[in-house]
Amino acid sequence: MSVLYTSLLRPLLFQLPAEAAHDIGKATLKHAFPWNVLSRMFRVDDPRLHTRVGGLELSSPVGLAAGFDKNAEALAGLDHLGFGYLTVGSILPTERPGNAKPRLIRYPDKESMLNCYGLPSDGLERCAQRLEAFRATRPRTPVIANIDSPSEESYLKSFARVEPYVDAVEFGVQCPNNPDDHGEFHNHAAFESLLKSALKVRTKPVFVKIVSYQDEKQRQNRLELVEIAASLGVDGITVPGAWRQPEPKLSMGYGHSSGHMLFSKTLQTVRDVYSITRGRVAIKANGGIFTGDEAFQVLAAGASTVELLTGFVYRGWDVAERINRELLALLDEHRVPEVRRVREFAMA
């Protein structure tokens, strides 16, 4: 399957504009067939991969990051591709077109991309209806809904609407490609108030995704937010390794990076976050993870799960299966009994 994708289908898709290819790939996953028939090819059922993250029981630590399926349209197919969990979104309170096109560009030589999507969304109601319909199919893969809103009130409205139909909710604190978002929730008081309000009413795990940092001042702010989140009792934290870069071919003149060129930044970010959390909350590692070896490294650094997006685009449908098998081989090589104990053995 991987050879078919990388040698035939990917070259054809990469002849198209990046966003058009993304939309085609997503469209192929809108229905369960043929993925339900092929699901045995993608699933690695081994108890050594099982892990518990923020109250979620996962068959694998390899998840799909927010951004691929922004509007919960492709869950029927994604459910069969061997991921430990699926993150949809960001889901916004109202419909939003996002930034003008072009807003996605590939760098195949670096297995990376830049995007300035600016949070396009079908809006809360349409996405919630899709999540409800998918929930009714009794899916095998846990789903996390990533939500983003301009105010605490609208965050809580979105939270209440989607929580019944997902396994956890992730609050996206800021989209760096959204020109209307000035990082208001990087303010300690606003951030703390939002999380306290959500945690009072939650019935399921709550995760928070904090935008990355590019200088020491931002780093200190993000780590202070991590401490606030951990002390309040959130279940997990995602801090991606992305950074902003100029790109005149994109409509905004810049974009935020994803893919292999991020890996070293992601690894350092996980170390930074773990230095604050010290195992109190789960860490979801996001950025540049394509292989089992890279997944093993970030797990050893303190991550609880790894999330894929660009790796999915470049490696194809069976990327989770391949990473899971590579992780099992590394567990054997390093004599680690189960994936949840990678850091413990790495530090021994």
Side-chain angles (χ1 to χ4, degrees), residues 58-245:
L58 306 180
S59 62
S60 156
V62 182
L64 182 69
F68 178 82
D69 189 12
K70 296 178 176 62
N71 294 302
E73 298 174 284
L75 288 169
L78 290 169
D79 188 36
H80 300 283
L81 297 189
F83 289 101
Y85 62 92
L86 306 168
T87 311
V88 299
S90 293
I91 297 171
L92 271 67
T94 57
E95 186 174 356
R96 177 187 173 92
N99 293 328
K101 298 179 182 180
R103 51 193 182 181
L104 181 65
I105 189 170
R106 309 182 198 94
Y107 301 112
D109 58 323
K110 300 177 182 177
E111 289 188 307
S112 299
M113 300 190 294
L114 284 184
N115 85 86
C116 63
Y117 270 108
L119 291 182
S121 177
D122 286 350
L124 174 62
E125 191 56 36
R126 290 169 68 186
C127 291
Q129 289 172 4
R130 291 178 188 136
L131 290 169
E132 182 179 9
F134 180 65
R135 190 77 168 184
T137 68
R138 298 184 179 180
R140 64 178 69 186
T141 313
V143 175
I144 301 172
N146 176 291
I147 58 175
D148 194 292
S149 291
S151 69
E152 180 176 319
E153 180 183 5
S154 57
Y155 261 122
L156 296 176
K157 179 181 177 181
S158 295
F159 180 69
R161 183 69 178 94
V162 301
E163 192 197 32
Y165 309 117
V166 296
D167 299 279
V169 178
E170 179 175 81
F171 286 79
V173 174
Q174 182 192 19
C175 173
N177 287 322
N178 178 1
D180 300 328
D181 189 337
H182 303 293
E184 289 84 355
F185 285 97
H186 290 154
N187 174 276
H188 291 185
F191 181 77
E192 183 171 348
S193 176
L194 172 63
L195 292 186
K196 281 183 174 179
S197 297
L199 291 169
K200 282 180 184 177
V201 298
R202 62 93 167 261
T203 61
K204 294 175 181 175
V206 169
F207 296 84
V208 59
K209 184 174 184 177
I210 302 172
V211 73
S212 187
Y213 43 83
Q214 298 188 185
D215 57 41
E216 184 57 27
K217 182 179 179 180
Q218 290 181 357
R219 178 179 177 274
Q220 288 301 317
N221 172 261
R222 306 306 187 261
L223 295 182
E224 288 162 1
L225 297 181
V226 165
E227 175 56 39
I228 291 171
S231 65
L232 290 176
V234 303
D235 297 278
I237 295 170
T238 306
V239 182
W243 68 82
R244 177 168 163 168
Q245 296 186 68

Side-chain angles (χ1 to χ4, degrees), residues 2-82:
S2 60
V3 174
L4 171 65
Y5 181 79
T6 56
S7 64
L8 179 62
L9 293 177
R10 189 178 71 186
L12 291 174
L13 288 170
F14 278 28
Q15 294 298 312
L16 300 171
E19 188 168 348
H22 178 98
D23 289 342
I24 290 171
K26 189 170 59 179
T28 67
L29 293 160
K30 285 188 175 182
H31 303 284
F33 181 83
W35 311 108
N36 53 353
V37 177
L38 300 171
S39 62
R40 289 185 181 180
M41 299 174 59
F42 300 119
R43 291 203 166 269
V44 181
D45 189 10
D46 191 305
R48 291 176 294 169
L49 292 172
H50 294 184
T51 191
R52 182 177 176 86
V53 175
L56 298 181
E57 296 290 343
L58 306 180
S59 62
S60 156
V62 182
L64 182 69
F68 178 82
D69 189 12
K70 296 178 176 62
N71 294 302
E73 298 174 284
L75 288 169
L78 290 169
D79 188 36
H80 300 283
L81 297 189

Side-chain angles (χ1 to χ4, degrees), residues 274-301:
Y274 190 85
S275 72
I276 301 298
T277 61
R278 292 292 176 185
R280 288 178 291 163
V281 299
I283 298 172
K284 295 159 79 234
N286 180 327
I289 299 162
F290 283 52
T291 68
D293 179 67
E294 290 162 347
F296 193 89
Q297 289 184 60
V298 294
L299 292 171

